C-alpha cells in the first residue's frame, strides 16, 4: 500500500471526484478505527484555528489518525497563517485532509506543499468532455459504456456530475453481474416516471398542444416535481427537434442528423420525425420562453413571480 502524505488539499469543481475522495478517506478511517474513526472539523464555522488545535491535541489511539476539514475555500490569509506552523510540523501517524469546493486559497496550497503534503485539483470537465467523463466514471464502477450510451444517460439525467455519478452507481447495482451498459439499460434503470413525463411534456410543447402540456404539468406538480428539475430535459428535447428541423430543411439526411446531433440513430429517427411535423416558429418561441424562465429563476428577470407561476406562464408562452 502506498505511503500516505501527511496533508492533502483537495479542491476544484468536479464534485463527483471530490465526493469520491472524501468517501475513501471516511471508509479508510472507519475500516482502521471503526465508526467515528474520522475526526471532522467545520472549516467555515470553526476555522483554521480549530484545525490547528485538533492537531495539537494528544491522542492515544493506535494506528494512523485521520482528520478532515471542510470547507476551506473561504479561508483568508490570517486563517492560513494560524494553521501554517502545524502543517510544517505535522504529528507522526496523522493524515489531514482539507477540502475546498472551487478554488483553494493559494497561500494554503503553498503551505501544504511546503509541509510535504499533496495538492489535488479536480477541475470540472468542459461540456464537450462530459460524455468521456461519464465513460471513465462508469469504468471505475466496473461498467463498459460507449459514447452513445453516455450521451443518452446525460439526456435523461442532465449534466450535473453528482447526479450522473449516482445514476452510474444505480446502473452497477441493477445490472450486476452484467458489466456492459446499453441505452435500453439506461432507460430501464434511470428513467423514472417524472423523467418520462418530462419528455412527454417536451413532446407536447414541440407539438404546440397546450391542453396536453398543461395536463402533464399538473401531474408533475402533484408529484412535487420542481420546475427547475424539468427545464433541462425539456429544453434539451426542444433544442434537438429545432436543430433537426433546420438540418432537414437544409437537405441533410436522417442518417447524417444522428452524427451531427451526436445521438444514437434510433433517437435521431424519432427526433427527425417530430421535426418534420413541428413548426419552426413554435420551436423558436419555446426556446425563447425557457431562456426567459431561466433568467427569471436566477433573479435576473423583471417579473416578480414565484417559480411555479413563472413556469406555468412559460409553458403557455412556449405552446402559444
Amino acid at each position: 500500500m502506498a505511503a500516505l502524505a501527511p496533508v492533502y488539499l483537495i479542491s476544484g469543481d468536479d464534485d463527483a471526484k471530490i465526493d469520491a475522495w472524501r468517501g475513501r478517506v471516511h471508509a479508510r478511517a472507519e475500516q482502521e478505527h471503526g465508526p467515528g474513526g474520522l475526526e471532522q472539523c467545520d472549516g467555515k464555522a470553526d476555522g483554521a484555528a480549530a484545525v490547528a488545535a485538533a492537531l495539537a491535541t494528544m491522542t492515544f489511539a493506535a494506528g494512523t489518525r485521520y482528520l478532515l476539514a471542510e470547507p476551506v475555500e473561504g479561508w483568508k490569509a490570517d486563517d492560513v497563517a494560524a494553521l501554517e506552523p502545524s502543517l510544517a510540523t505535522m504529528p507522526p501517524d496523522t493524515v489531514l485532509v482539507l477540502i475546498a469546493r472551487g478554488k483553494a486559497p493559494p497561500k494554503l496550497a503553498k503551505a501544504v506543499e511546503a509541509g510535504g503534503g499533496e495538492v489535488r485539483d479536480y477541475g470540472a470537465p468542459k461540456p464537450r468532455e462530459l460524455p468521456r467523463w461519464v465513460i471513465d466514471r462508469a469504468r471505475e464502477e466496473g461498467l463498459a459504456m460507449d459514447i452513445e450510451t453516455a450521451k443518452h444517460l446525460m439526456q435523461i439525467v442532465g449534466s450535473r456530475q453528482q447526479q450522473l455519478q449516482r445514476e452510474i452507481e444505480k446502473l452497477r447495482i441493477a445490472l450486476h453481474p452484467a458489466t456492459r451498459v446499453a441505452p435500453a439499460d439506461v432507460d430501464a434503470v434511470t428513467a423514472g416516471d417524472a423523467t418520462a413525463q418530462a419528455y412527454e411534456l417536451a413532446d407536447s410543447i414541440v407539438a404546440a398542444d397546450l391542453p396536453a402540456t398543461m395536463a402533464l404539468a399538473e401531474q408533475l406538480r402533484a408529484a412535487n416535481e420542481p420546475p427547475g428539475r424539468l427545464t433541462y430535459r425539456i429544453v434539451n428535447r426542444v433544442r434537438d427537434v429545432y436543430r433537426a428541423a433546420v438540418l432537414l430543411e437544409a437537405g441533410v439526411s436522417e442518417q447524417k442528423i444522428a452524427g451531427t446531433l451526436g445521438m444514437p440513430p434510433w433517437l435521431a429517427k424519432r427526433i427527425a420525425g417530430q421535426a418534420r411535423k413541428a413548426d419552426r416558429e413554435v420551436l423558436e418561441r419555446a426556446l425563447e420562453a425557457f431562456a426567459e424562465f431561466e433568467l427569471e429563476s436566477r433573479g435576473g428577470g423583471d417579473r416578480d413571480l414565484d417559480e411555479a407561476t413563472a413556469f406555468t406562464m412559460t409553458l403557455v408562452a412556449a405552446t402559444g
Side-chain angles (χ1 to χ4, degrees):
M1 183 180 295
L4 294 172
V7 190
Y8 292 92
L9 173 59
I10 312 300
S11 64
D13 300 311
D14 193 331
D15 287 332
K17 280 189 177 179
I18 293 174
D19 287 344
W21 229 101
R22 188 184 188 282
R24 288 194 296 270
V25 173
H26 195 282
R28 184 161 184 163
E30 292 205 341
Q31 182 181 7
E32 295 182 17
H33 301 289
L38 178 64
E39 299 177 46
Q40 300 186 56
C41 293
D42 188 324
K44 185 175 182 179
D46 302 328
V51 180
L55 289 171
T57 302
M58 293 288 291
T59 176
F60 298 101
T64 303
R65 181 188 183 196
Y66 297 91
L67 289 88
L68 172 71
E70 63 173 332
V72 304
E73 63 270 14
W75 284 359
K76 306 300 182 186
D78 289 345
D79 297 310
V80 178
L83 182 61
E84 208 164 358
S86 301
L87 297 180
T89 56
M90 283 287 293
D93 298 322
T94 300
V95 175
L96 170 65
V97 178
L98 306 167
I99 293 181
R101 302 284 178 169
K103 189 175 181 180
K107 188 175 180 181
L108 179 60
K110 290 180 181 178
V112 168
E113 291 178 333
E118 296 183 15
V119 176
R120 306 281 184 88
D121 184 69
Y122 298 109
K126 297 179 176 61
R128 61 183 173 79
E129 299 171 340
L130 198 52
R132 180 56 57 185
W133 181 92
V134 171
I135 291 172
D136 290 342
R137 297 293 79 71
R139 185 182 300 115
E140 290 177 2
E141 295 290 337
L143 297 174
M145 180 185 296
D146 61 23
I147 197 74
E148 287 189 353
T149 304
K151 289 180 178 179
H152 185 54
L153 178 62
M154 290 169 56
Q155 285 181 324
I156 291 178
V157 174
S159 59
R160 291 184 65 247
Q161 292 165 271
Q162 287 174 310
Q163 183 63 31
L164 286 165
Q165 181 71 40
R166 283 195 292 270
E167 296 302 330
I168 290 169
E169 291 169 359
K170 282 168 56 179
L171 284 164
R172 173 178 55 80
I173 295 169
L175 298 179
H176 182 78
T179 58
R180 180 162 292 280
V181 187
D185 299 319
V186 172
D187 288 334
V189 175
T190 68
D193 290 340
T195 299
Q197 286 181 307
Y199 282 117
E200 285 182 40
L201 183 57
D203 292 342
S204 66
I205 292 171
V206 166
D209 188 339
L210 181 58
T213 296
M214 301 313 295
L216 285 164
E218 184 58 36
Q219 290 176 27
L220 288 163
R221 188 179 296 112
N224 295 318
E225 190 69 18
R229 288 179 56 181
L230 305 173
T231 305
Y232 175 86
R233 298 182 181 98
I234 293 171
V235 172
N236 212 36
R237 174 59 58 82
V238 175
R239 186 182 292 121
D240 282 343
V241 175
Y242 176 76
R243 291 173 65 195
V246 172
L247 291 170
L248 286 169
E249 287 186 18
V252 178
S253 69
E254 192 175 288
Q255 289 74 19
K256 289 186 178 180
I257 286 176
T260 302
L261 298 186
M263 60 178 59
W266 64 268
L267 181 58
K269 184 175 182 179
R270 178 179 177 181
I271 295 296
Q274 290 179 293
R276 289 191 181 93
K277 299 176 183 177
D279 184 327
R280 273 186 58 181
E281 290 186 6
V282 170
L283 300 177
E284 289 172 356
R285 183 172 64 234
L287 291 172
E288 289 171 2
F290 277 98
E292 180 132 354
F293 173 73
E294 179 72 13
L295 182 65
E296 188 86 33
S297 64
R298 294 177 183 271
D302 53 10
R303 301 180 299 179
D304 187 16
L305 302 172
D306 61 84
E307 186 182 47
T309 303
F311 187 65
T312 299
M313 293 180 66
T314 298
L315 295 176
V316 173
T319 52

